[in-house]
Amino acid sequence: MSERGEDDVSVFPSGVWRYPTEIRFGVGAIAELPSAVKSAGIARPLVVTDNGLAGHAMIADARARLEAAGLPTALFSQVRGNPVGADIEAGMTAFRDGDHDGVVAIGGGSALDAGKTIAMAARQPRALFDLHVSAGGPAAIDGSRVAPMVAVPTTAGTGSETGRAAVVTDERVHEKRIFLHATMMPKVVIEDPQLTVGLPANLTAWTGMDALAHCFEGLCAPELHPFSDGVAVEGLRVIKEFLPRAVLDGTDLEARGMMLAAASMGSTAFQKGLGAIHSLSHPVGARYDTHHGLTNAVFFPYVIVHNRASIHEKCDRLAAYLALPKGGVDGVLDWILTCASASTSRTPWRSWGSTTPGWTRLPPPPRRIRRPRATPCRCSRPT
């Protein structure tokens, strides 16, 4: 950890974790970006971020660090809040035209998912939307053609930095597509809580609800995976303790750092599976461009009620572990309602609700729904 200043190391715990990938964690960890890029085997990185973050000082600082280390960069920032195919295609062109050999993705889940998809798809012989899990699936992706990537999250929610998948909207049909391959896991992750300090309270709450949903659905998915269950339960405890603090005081570095860890724990836990929260929020987000974490928060309590009969034993254990005032499903539901209410109360509802054209007319149900297989109770098809 010699690249970080001694003062940075002394005020906050730091470390290097190597599960599920290499994570360099702690205040000042961004100083290790050049060595992380070199260790990933990247010499000419394409820096990918979203259009809202492109002009931020942290992007200029990251590029300056890389350039000073002899790593020439170019910047691609044509990434919207819910990335679409056109964003990825443009990034693939930038990657090829610039003769890049890897990606450094800096930002929230949108930038990280875009970076992962660009790194995966830029050198594939097949078209982008022939590679998602409902089309060719992982077997359609040539792992030897996937470029390495370093991930630098600036929000604590999606956990994309420790996942093998990415989500991109196919704007032609308004459906979110999942791309999945083992080689899409970032080679190195930089988790520096200082990079999340400027995140507004509402986005802190919304992204935190995404991490909470990942941990909870990972825990409740019916498949046997005790490793994921353990990570999920501890992730929920971390979120319970530190999300309110991060929302209340954005400069609380301990809360910011622990929420980064919780987000990574959530994406690690949901390798076991997700459920109806995401099955509902994905099509709504694809059609109406709503914030994913906020949409999760809206659906969260309804899914708990729907699954009550199948998750009561896990909720008994969870309520006890979290020391909730009330036990069982009711205790967990009360806690989730408190979290969801706090998150959604920070939302100008009219900006994404009834005034959105067609809001009262949801899109037709997709022909096939893959993700609900991980929800404990069967979901009926709307009529």
Side-chain angles (χ1 to χ4, degrees):
M1 315 306 288
S2 59
E3 293 160 282
R4 309 184 199 181
E6 291 183 3
D7 290 342
D8 288 338
V9 174
S10 65
V11 298
F12 191 82
S14 61
V16 178
W17 309 326
R18 290 183 171 84
Y19 170 78
T21 189
E22 181 176 317
I23 303 171
R24 304 188 185 191
F25 175 87
V27 172
I30 191 62
E32 299 183 27
L33 181 60
S35 68
V37 170
K38 290 178 179 178
S39 72
I42 302 172
R44 300 179 305 280
L46 176 67
V47 176
V48 175
T49 191
D50 61 72
N51 49 25
L53 200 57
H56 197 283
M58 76 170 71
I59 302 299
D61 175 70
R63 295 186 68 191
R65 290 178 186 275
L66 294 170
E67 299 276 355
L71 297 164
T73 71
L75 179 65
F76 176 77
S77 60
Q78 186 183 316
V79 179
R80 61 201 81 187
N82 285 301
V84 300
D87 300 346
I88 307 305
E89 296 281 3
M92 291 162 59
T93 299
F95 185 93
R96 292 189 293 257
D97 289 351
D99 191 30
H100 297 285
D101 62 351
V103 166
V104 174
I106 306 174
S110 300
L112 300 190
D113 274 11
K116 288 161 73 173
T117 311
I118 291 166
M120 178 276 294
R123 301 189 293 206
Q124 299 291 327
R126 298 193 183 194
L128 174 64
F129 286 113
D130 290 339
L131 301 171
H132 63 84
V133 296
S134 296
I141 297 172
D142 183 347
S144 68
R145 293 176 177 266
V146 177
M149 178 179 138
V150 172
V152 185
T154 62
T155 66
T158 70
S160 181
E161 67 277 358
T162 51
R164 303 164 295 155
V167 179
V168 176
T169 298
D170 184 344
E171 63 269 44
R172 302 168 302 177
V173 293
H174 300 287
E175 291 186 12
K176 290 197 175 186
R177 303 301 194 188
I178 300 170
F179 298 85
L180 172 68
H181 198 272
T183 57
M184 291 176 65
M185 176 74 78
K187 300 293 185 184
V188 186
V189 177
I190 301 289
E191 293 194 356
D192 187 336
Q194 286 183 319
L195 301 183
T196 69
V197 164
L199 195 67
N202 64 324
L203 291 177
T204 300
W206 301 348
T207 54
M209 286 303 297
D210 193 22
L212 200 163
H214 291 162
C215 289
F216 187 79
E217 289 203 296
L219 173 65
C220 293
E223 285 82 357
L224 175 65
H225 201 319
F227 295 90
S228 285
D229 289 355
V231 172
V233 169
E234 177 60 9
L236 290 163
R237 185 201 64 79
V238 171
I239 292 168
K240 178 177 180 288
E241 180 175 354
F242 292 103
L243 179 57
R245 284 175 49 180
V247 172
L248 183 64
D249 179 6
T251 65
D252 185 336
L253 286 177
E254 182 182 22
R256 290 294 196 181
M258 294 306 293
M259 282 305 302
L260 279 171
S264 295
M265 294 168 78
S267 64
T268 301
F270 78 60
Q271 301 307 305
K272 174 186 172 187
L274 286 170
I277 296 171
H278 281 77
S279 297
L280 293 164
S281 67
H282 276 172
V284 170
R287 180 57 63 101
Y288 300 105
D289 200 28
T290 57
H291 189 280
H292 177 63
L294 173 60
T295 314
N296 281 347
V298 172
F299 287 121
F300 209 139
Y302 298 97
V303 173
I304 291 179
V305 171
H306 176 79
N307 286 327
R308 174 187 290 271
S310 296
I311 63 175
H312 66 92
E313 290 185 1
K314 289 183 177 180
C315 285
D316 286 344
R317 295 194 295 270
L318 178 62
Y321 186 72
L322 298 180
L324 297 177
K326 188 188 299 182
V329 175
D330 288 337
V332 173
L333 180 59
D334 285 351
W335 173 53
I336 295 299
L337 282 168
T338 300
C339 295
S341 297
S343 298
T344 56
S345 68
R346 297 176 177 275
T347 309
W349 283 95
R350 293 175 183 172
S351 70
W352 73 285
S354 58
T355 61
T356 302
W359 173 251
T360 59
R361 189 184 69 256
L362 288 176
R367 293 181 297 277
R368 290 182 296 170
I369 303 178
R370 292 178 177 270
R371 202 177 283 276
R373 67 181 179 81
T375 205
C377 293
R378 182 179 296 275
C379 297
S380 61
R381 188 180 181 87
T383 57

